[in-house]
């Protein structure tokens, strides 16, 4: 009786380990592609221009608002 309980427990543990190992070998879900919105291209341009450009200041403000979930001003 005791021996069958031990073997049953070992079998359940091995089966669980096999299932977990099978899940770990699956490919991860695909990563969503980055957006190519006009704001993003403007921000790319602003990285080289600097902070003095008023259009860049507005683009950075819009990006901050979008990131923090605030409505666009």
């Amino acid at each position: 009786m005791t021996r069958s309980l031990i073997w049953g427990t070992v079998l359940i543990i091995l089966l669980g380990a096999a299932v977990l190992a099978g899940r770990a070998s699956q490919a991860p879900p695909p990563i969503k592609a980055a957006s190519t919105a006009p704001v993003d291209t403007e921000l790319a341009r602003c990285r080289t221009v600097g902070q003095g450009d008023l259009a860049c200041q507005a683009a950075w403000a819009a990006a901050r608002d979008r990131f923090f979930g605030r409505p666009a001003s």
Side-chain angles (χ1 to χ4, degrees), residues 39-50 53-56 59-60:
V39 173
D40 294 336
T41 56
E42 180 69 13
L43 291 176
R45 182 189 71 82
C46 291
R47 285 187 194 109
T48 59
V49 172
D53 190 1
L54 292 178
C56 289
W60 284 113

Side-chain angles (χ1 to χ4, degrees), residues 10-73:
V10 169
L11 181 63
I12 290 173
I13 290 171
L14 290 175
L15 184 61
V19 168
L20 290 176
R23 285 186 186 169
S25 66
Q26 292 177 352
I31 297 174
K32 192 172 151 181
S35 80
T36 56
V39 173
D40 294 336
T41 56
E42 180 69 13
L43 291 176
R45 182 189 71 82
C46 291
R47 285 187 194 109
T48 59
V49 172
Q51 295 180 352
D53 190 1
L54 292 178
C56 289
Q57 290 176 0
W60 284 113
R64 272 192 307 276
D65 290 344
R66 185 176 58 179
F67 178 80
F68 289 114
R70 295 183 279 207
S73 52

